[in-house]
Amino acid sequence: MLSSIESRRSAFNPNARGYHAVYHDGEVNHCPGCGRTHWIIGRLSAECAFCSTALPLKDALTHGPAPTPVFWSGSRPNYADLAA
């Protein structure tokens, strides 16, 4: 009987994979590609302004694109009420 590769594989452990570059908000982040510190920040990633190396945002991995949902109770106000 043949054993499959899947049965010999250990469980996935993300801490054991080594260095994982992410953009940390509020800190000086050096680009792993060119070493500079100028970034263009998006919702899910940051891109180096010089060499275009992209890094995921650390906060985007844990909080998602909408961390705080907004719920309306009762009737939802219209645009004219919100602009007033």
Side-chain angles (χ1 to χ4, degrees), residues 9-20:
R9 197 178 282 179
S10 62
F12 176 67
N13 183 2
N15 292 329
R17 69 180 174 180
Y19 178 74
H20 182 70

Side-chain angles (χ1 to χ4, degrees), residues 5-6 8-9 11 17-18 20 22 26 30 32 34 37-39 43-44 47 49 63 68-69 73-74 80 84:
I5 295 173
E6 295 296 325
R8 290 182 274 155
R9 197 178 282 179
R17 69 180 174 180
H20 182 70
V22 294
H30 293 275
C34 66
T37 59
H38 192 86
W39 295 91
R43 290 187 298 169
L44 298 176
E47 182 178 331
H63 299 298
T68 308
S73 61

Side-chain angles (χ1 to χ4, degrees), residues 3-71:
S3 63
S4 70
I5 295 173
E6 295 296 325
S7 64
R8 290 182 274 155
R9 197 178 282 179
S10 62
F12 176 67
N13 183 2
N15 292 329
R17 69 180 174 180
Y19 178 74
H20 182 70
V22 294
Y23 181 89
H24 296 270
D25 191 30
E27 297 180 14
V28 177
N29 294 281
H30 293 275
C31 175
C34 66
R36 297 183 179 174
T37 59
H38 192 86
W39 295 91
I40 301 168
I41 310 299
R43 290 187 298 169
L44 298 176
S45 65
E47 182 178 331
C48 177
F50 295 99
C51 70
S52 300
T53 299
L55 296 179
L57 299 178
K58 179 180 177 270
D59 296 334
L61 300 175
T62 57
H63 299 298
T68 308
V70 177
F71 297 102

